[in-house]
Amino acid sequence: MTAVKMGSSIRPCLLLLALVVLVHGAARSRAANNRFPDDFLFGAATAAYQVEGGWNEDGKGENIWDHMLHEHPDYSKDHQNGDVADDSYHRYKEDVRILKEMGMNHYRFSISWARIMPTGEANNINQAGIDYYNNLINELLDNGILPVVTMYHWDLPQWLQDLGGWTNPIMADYFEDYARVLYENFGDRVKWWITFNEPLSFVSGYAHAGPFTQAPAISKPGVGDYLATHHLLIAHARAYHLYDEQYRTKQQGKVTITLNTDWHEPLTNSTEDIAAADRARQFSFGMFAHPIFSTEGDYPAIVRELVDKKSKAEGRTRSRLPVFSKEMVEYIRGTYDYFGLNYYSSKLVTSGVTGENPSRERDAEVVISIDPSWPSSPVTSWLQVVPWGFRKLITWVHENYNAPAILITENGYSDDGSLEDTDRINYFKSHFTELLKAVYEDGANVIGHTAWSVIDNMEWTSGYTEKFGVYYVNFTDPARPRIPKASSQFLKEIIQTREIPQD
Ligand code: NOJ
């Protein structure tokens, strides 16, 4: 009787205790999912042509963006160019000051090849350019900020373009020479290297010409862009092996490439759309990622198959997509120490025929669309806000490329420059949330996030019409003051608390 009694009073107690433990546990795991890992890196990014200005100062050579926008001012929406931009060439200390103000762990910037090697050749070094980057790197380190350095953010010296640019296989030699100059001059202090930024974007400069196209604006779709792809992959591997063989032991840094893509979601869950979405991923991302990050190396099989088949049907003697020798497949495979990943938006995919004949779009046999219910940037047509696509892309990279350490090297939102940039805050908040789901729920190894961008800047062929900065810059003011937007305060708080605020 007593036992029964005791039992019946203990049972509710135990139940209550279990409930308390459960609720507490759930709250704790919510908190954990909301909290960044202790060693997570927060940073922000820019690129040389977009911020530096000083386009012909102190011996800098002309690059393909200087050239294209001087020759064709109408190729950018507002007919502007990067001649002055944010004037970071003179105001880099301001950039470092605001990075420090936000508490950033790293700054991703790029080196202008033509600033330190005016023609792109290693026998012609411009000391003033070397000095500029030494000053920037030292200023960052003095302020406790890690430099993450992109070697090539789209601004090829024009002299090399006149030799054919990335369509010429000799570019791998020139790029290796350039990388050597960088390791020699900066490798004692720079430990995070990125060879190329977004090859998918810049090889399109060999596919399309005319207003709003990438430099060098050459119209050879399905041929020029594939040649450029092939040669930059070799150039990347050359820079990686050079580091491995001659600098790694002494300098102890890391080298990779930064790749980008929209997340490609099947339009429906039909087998056909699922296969189409995979083709879209392989033609936009796998084409660069597979040779470097996969276990097998080389181009993805579906890319090889479709381009070869079409090239043959077109009566060509060889595939429009060049072939790597077995040795070259091995040489390129595994040339990474981490994965640089840029994400902004997502697209829907179904099967079909689009694009010029020939072209990458047509080769991929996909039709791309968006869901009209997705919120969109008010100024950038391609930027729909799809945070779940961020998680899917991270997890897809994690699962398809051997669980690499992933540094998000760009992620951000554009508007017209308002200081109360609530939509940008919401963008970052929702994307941080999805990033942490990829980490805690999918097991991805994301080591850091880099916001694009520190300051409003020259958005390529959109000129100054699309503002991505967390600091506002008035481009009619010669002093180019950097003015904080609300989003810079938001990032600062996240970095301080290392948590995503829940309210
Ligand atoms: C990617 C590019 O790397 C960067 O230069 C550009 O400004 C942003 N996307 C926004 O379009």
Side-chain angles (χ1 to χ4, degrees):
M1 192 58 188
T2 317
V4 171
K5 248 189 172 166
M6 270 182 65
S8 59
S9 67
I10 280 173
R11 229 174 278 134
C13 279
L14 280 178
L15 269 176
L16 196 70
L17 189 70
L19 202 69
V20 169
V21 168
L22 257 176
V23 170
H24 187 69
R28 240 206 358 236
S29 93
R30 254 206 319 278
N33 285 349
N34 208 22
R35 198 173 165 74
F36 291 90
D38 289 342
D39 49 0
F40 192 86
L41 295 168
F42 290 96
T46 62
Y49 184 73
Q50 296 180 271
V51 299
E52 281 180 6
W55 82 274
N56 60 355
E57 266 181 69
D58 300 338
K60 176 181 165 292
E62 185 190 39
N63 65 43
I64 56 175
W65 278 88
D66 297 323
H67 187 83
M68 182 179 86
L69 293 182
H70 288 158
E71 292 279 305
H72 305 283
D74 59 316
Y75 280 18
S76 81
K77 265 193 214 160
D78 55 4
H79 296 199
Q80 300 291 318
N81 55 44
D83 286 3
V84 181
D86 295 272
D87 200 21
S88 289
Y89 185 60
H90 300 109
R91 299 175 197 281
Y92 67 90
K93 286 193 180 171
E94 265 301 284
D95 298 338
V96 177
R97 183 186 66 73
I98 62 179
L99 287 159
K100 190 173 186 191
E101 169 61 30
M102 289 184 279
M104 292 292 176
N105 303 119
H106 67 276
Y107 177 40
R108 175 179 177 229
F109 64 92
S110 80
I111 290 184
S112 157
W113 189 342
R115 192 178 290 293
I116 64 168
M117 297 155 80
T119 57
E121 297 168 291
N123 61 348
N124 182 9
I125 305 278
N126 178 31
Q127 190 54 42
I130 303 274
D131 293 346
Y132 170 66
Y133 293 110
N134 269 330
N135 291 339
L136 171 58
I137 291 164
N138 293 342
E139 184 75 8
L140 287 166
L141 293 174
D142 287 348
N143 284 281
I145 301 168
L146 287 174
V148 175
V149 179
T150 310
M151 300 178 183
Y152 186 83
H153 201 122
W154 309 357
D155 47 356
L156 189 71
Q158 182 61 35
W159 193 91
L160 291 176
Q161 185 53 50
D162 294 341
L163 295 179
W166 293 106
T167 61
N168 188 339
I170 196 77
M171 284 301 301
D173 291 347
Y174 285 105
F175 191 73
E176 184 184 318
D177 291 347
Y178 171 47
R180 182 179 292 105
V181 171
L182 299 184
Y183 300 146
E184 283 290 332
N185 282 278
F186 312 121
D188 56 336
R189 287 152 294 145
V190 173
K191 304 299 164 193
W192 294 78
W193 293 104
I194 294 163
T195 53
F196 291 97
N197 175 68
E198 294 199 352
L200 173 67
S201 306
F202 80 78
V203 300
S204 74
Y206 295 88
H208 307 290
F212 321 133
T213 54
Q214 288 261 345
I218 288 171
S219 179
K220 295 278 181 289
V223 178
D225 46 347
Y226 289 165
L227 281 174
T229 298
H230 201 72
H231 300 142
L232 78 84
L233 284 165
I234 298 172
H236 160 81
R238 292 275 293 273
Y240 184 90
H241 285 293
L242 173 69
Y243 194 75
D244 243 12
E245 284 152 24
Q246 295 181 28
Y247 297 93
R248 186 183 294 281
T249 315
K250 212 161 94 205
Q251 300 187 346
Q252 298 282 311
K254 300 181 200 312
V255 182
T256 196
I257 189 168
T258 276
L259 303 181
N260 69 299
T261 184
D262 287 329
W263 170 249
H264 290 113
E265 181 73 6
L267 181 64
T268 71
N269 54 14
S270 71
T271 319
E272 212 193 348
D273 286 357
I274 291 171
D278 189 61
R279 281 199 305 282
R281 288 173 211 147
Q282 300 304 342
F283 269 87
S284 65
F285 193 76
M287 195 141 177
F288 306 95
H290 202 269
I292 298 171
F293 297 94
S294 73
T295 310
E296 314 80 44
D298 208 347
Y299 294 119
I302 186 71
V303 171
R304 183 81 271 162
E305 182 193 320
L306 286 176
V307 185
D308 288 1
K309 191 176 86 187
K310 286 174 195 198
S311 302
K312 201 165 172 203
E314 289 152 16
R316 295 170 190 269
T317 47
R318 72 189 78 85
S319 178
R320 285 183 274 105
L321 181 65
V323 176
F324 289 124
S325 68
K326 275 207 174 62
E327 294 71 34
M328 192 49 82
V329 168
E330 284 312 300
Y331 185 76
I332 296 173
R333 193 172 66 90
T335 51
Y336 70 94
D337 301 315
Y338 62 104
F339 200 119
L341 183 63
N342 289 359
Y343 173 83
Y344 288 87
S345 193
S346 290
K347 298 288 173 283
L348 299 172
V349 190
T350 188
S351 182
V353 181
T354 49
E356 289 169 74
N357 192 12
S359 64
R360 175 193 300 266
E361 293 75 19
R362 206 176 180 89
D363 287 342
E365 300 179 352
V366 295
V367 179
I368 305 282
S369 62
I370 57 165
D371 180 334
S373 75
W374 290 341
S376 220
S377 150
V379 290
T380 304
S381 58
W382 52 262
L383 210 172
Q384 287 71 45
V385 183
V386 192
W388 53 261
F390 192 26
R391 173 183 180 180
K392 287 202 176 190
L393 177 61
I394 294 171
T395 301
W396 190 80
V397 167
H398 173 72
E399 287 170 354
N400 282 274
Y401 302 115
N402 300 310
I406 301 171
L407 178 64
I408 304 301
T409 39
E410 278 182 42
N411 174 235
Y413 180 77
S414 58
D415 60 16
D416 58 5
S418 136
L419 294 184
E420 284 309 315
D421 53 343
T422 318
D423 289 344
R424 179 170 292 103
I425 292 177
N426 291 336
Y427 181 96
F428 280 130
K429 190 170 171 182
S430 56
H431 284 72
F432 279 136
T433 303
E434 294 296 323
L435 182 158
L436 287 187
K437 284 187 197 161
V439 170
Y440 293 123
E441 295 176 37
D442 309 337
N445 181 15
V446 185
I447 57 174
H449 176 276
T450 316
W452 184 272
S453 172
V454 187
I455 39 180
D456 292 340
N457 58 51
M458 206 286 168
E459 179 57 19
W460 307 106
T461 53
S462 294
Y464 298 92
T465 64
E466 300 175 17
K467 321 277 192 181
F468 279 87
V470 294
Y471 274 68
Y472 168 81
V473 176
N474 175 357
F475 293 98
T476 58
D477 184 337
R480 301 288 195 275
R482 279 76 166 133
I483 317 244
K485 300 182 190 177
S487 56
S488 68
Q489 182 60 29
F490 174 77
L491 290 182
K492 181 177 176 171
E493 277 164 28
I494 292 223
I495 298 169
Q496 261 167 12
T497 59
R498 307 193 70 80
E499 274 187 17
I500 307 170
Q502 284 312 283
D503 46 335

